[in-house]
Every structure is written in C-alpha cells, then in structure tokens.
Amino acid sequence: MNLSGKRIVVGITGGIAAYKTIEFIRLLRKAEAEVRVVLTPAAAEFVTPLTLQAISGNAVSQSLLDPQAELAMGHIELAKWADAVVIAPASADFIARFTVGMANDLLSTLCLATASPIFLASAMNRQMFAQPITQQNLTALQARGVQLVGPNSGFQACGDVGTGRMSEPMEIFTVLSDFFSQNQDLQGLNVVITAGPTREPIDPVRYISNHSSGKMGFAIAESFAKCGATVSLIAGPVSLNTPKNVNRINVISAQEMWQVSLESAVKNHIFIGCAAVADYRVANVSEQKIKKSSDEISLKLIKNPDIIADVGHLTEHRPFTVGFAAETQNVADYAKDKLQRKNLDMICANDVSGGQVFNADENALQLFWKGGNKILALKSKKDLAADLVNEIVEQYKKTR
Ligand code: PMT
C-alpha cells in the first residue's frame, strides 16, 4: 500500500465535520499508516480525545507546551516526525491564522515548523467559504505549496446548501494515497526541462511566437521536484509561478534557449524538451520600429537551431533525452519520425488538432520509445505529468 508505514499527523480544528475525520483516520490505519492526532481546543468540543486515541492508536496532542513531549516541544517533535500533515476539517479561523503565520496553538505552530507536505480539507458555512478574504487566504496557502482538498457542495449542518462541506473521508484518503504513489525516490537525479514558447523579434516592439502557456512543462518540473529530483526549468516567456524547489532560468528567444539548454544538458541525467520552440526567426531584425509605409511587407525567416536534436546527438555526457511532438495530423507517424531523426530516447506525441492542448488545463499523450509505446489518457496536465514522470524514470532506469 502507498501509505504503509507513512507517518501522518492529522490536525482537527473546530467544526461539525470533525466527526468524519474519525473515518478518515480509520482508513489511514487500515492502510497501515501511523497516525498522530492534534486537536485544537475548539475541535475537542466536537470529538473526544478518547475516541481519537482509540482509533489512531496513539495519544492525542492538544497542548503547545506539553510536559509529556520530548524536551516539552511537541510541535517540533511532531513537525519532524510527520511525512505529511492533513488538516481536516480546516476551519475559516484556522485557515486565516495559518495564512498569516500565527503560532498560537499546537497545530498552527507545527504547520509552521514542518518541512513536510501539508494537505488542507476546509469545511465551513458556504457564506464564510465564499468570502473574498477566505478565498484570498486559500489562494495564498496554495501558492505556498499547501494542497487543498475540496470542499464539496451540498447540504450543510447549518441548514444552508452550497459549497463548504468537507470532502468525504475516502476523497481525502485518495488524494493522500495518490501523493505517496508517486515515485518518491528521485533524490540524486538531475533533470532539466524546457517549457513555454520562444519569441522571435521582428523589431523592438513586435515578435513571432505561439500559444504555448508553459503549463505542461511546468507541471512536469513540479512533478519531478515533488519526487525529490533536482530540477532546472528553462522557461520561455510565460506568466506562471515557479513550482516549489525548481530552479528556473528565463529565456526569450530560441537561440537563448538553445545556449542555456546545451550548457545544462551535459550536467543533467534527463533532458525534456517540452517547449514550443519557434522553428524560424527573422533574418534581419529591424533596429527601429517598422513603419506602416507600404501595403505589404515581407519577412525573411531563417531556421533556428533544433535544440532537442542537438542534445540528442551529443557524443559526450548525453542525457536521456525526451522530446515532444505537437502535431495536427499523422500524429503517431510524425512523432516516431522525430524520435528517430532527432536521436531521442522517448517522444511524447501530442495531438494539437482543433486548438486543443496549447494553453489548456488538460492533455493526453502517446509515448513512443525504441521497442515500446504507451497511451496516457486525457487528464489534468498536473496529473498527466505525474504519470509521465513515472514512465520517463522507468525507461531511463533501463538505460543505466
Ligand atoms: O505549454 P502548454 O500550453 O501547456 O502546451 C504544451 C505543448 C503543446 C507546448 C507541449 O505539450 C508540446 O507538445 N511541446 C512541443 C511543441 C513543439 O514545438 O513540438 P514540435 O513537434 O514542433 O517539436 C518537436 C520537438 O522538438 C519538441 O520537443 C520541441 O521542444 C523540439 N524543438 C523544436 C524546434 C526547435 N527549434 N528546437 C527544438 O528543440
């Protein structure tokens, strides 16, 4: 089981949904996870420490200054012990305190003190959930890497109907289980990924580019980093936040991307070319803004270097090289041709016909490598990236 032996701190804050957390803890125990429960004072009004102790198999922690804890510092002890912290239910009050970094009870303090991933299943009245301040707090926490689970819509204990119900125990369990199902053992692996478009200048104010948003490449970088790999992300001009623990290098043009990529490729075990690199650039970039003096103008375009082909054909320190093929027709055939021509170890065929994929939140891929292929079905780019990382690592390991 993914969760077998994993050490999970379950934080419970004050809310009627706390009764559902008992079932969540039972699921964790059934999956052979070790569980330690932290209760806020308000949570203890809804569920008893005795019940939680019986279900979790461990004494329940409630106080920041606990004479029973090692060195009387329960928050540090628990923060270091946890492989993950799950707060369910997370009340509006707790979310607000956590967002501003308060440390005035055991749970908020341990959340500040832990380096482990934190999952937060919020539960509150629909109006409280919809308040801009609550939404801002959740967005801020998400940007800090906290993983939000739910909430769901439906009948609420207060009689309202709307969004704010805590996710069901099995839903929270599945998110956690999926997280641990990712290959966690990529420490020591160095990976470099290109993402986004390139921009090829025409004059000081105009350029040629494409619709790549960077979402696919950034999701791959995030997924590798979550698994412990050392990740460099060579990003064209996109407006995405840098994933946690990823070293980002910004570039604009294909030539810049080529230079940084070739320098990085030889220092990494795996190179992934997810960027939509402009195949051509303008031969004579105008130093001044081109004036609208005639009805037609012609731009002479010349070929850009093919980054992934140059990486694939390296003769020394060549990394395991993975390309993408964005095609609108004959997708599989063109992809297989690129696999061979660019001397790649794997290619991810992307059917981009009908305007799908570029800048979308979902994607599907067909992977090809020498002697094999695999379809990765349509799903969010983040989930797809997790699957892709597993496939790349599996094929990479066969070559070492
Ligand atoms: O960024 P998103 O909005 O999330 O969209 C994701 C994506 C569609 C951009 C991505 O999934 C994708 O398919 N990227 C490759 C796009 C592309 O340029 O495909 P291509 O078939 O033209 O190129 C084939 C391979 O050669 C690619 O790995 C590309 O990075 C590489 N290439 C191309 C030209 C060039 N001069 N140098 C290159 O390295």
Side-chain angles (χ1 to χ4, degrees), residues 88-107:
S91 64
D93 170 69
F94 177 80
I95 290 167
R97 286 189 290 115
F98 183 23
T99 307
V100 293
M102 287 183 71
N104 55 348
D105 64 13
L106 176 59
L107 187 57

Side-chain angles (χ1 to χ4, degrees), residues 194 196 211-217 273-279 304-309 323-327 338 342 350 352 357-360 363 381:
T194 67
H211 296 292
S212 171
S213 61
K215 287 177 192 170
M216 190 69 242
C274 186
V277 185
D279 290 317
N304 269 325
D306 191 320
I307 301 168
I308 200 109
F324 272 70
E327 302 291 353
K338 281 177 185 166
K342 301 191 184 207
N350 229 172
V352 295
V357 184
F358 277 89
N359 198 22
N363 194 11
K381 283 182 177 170

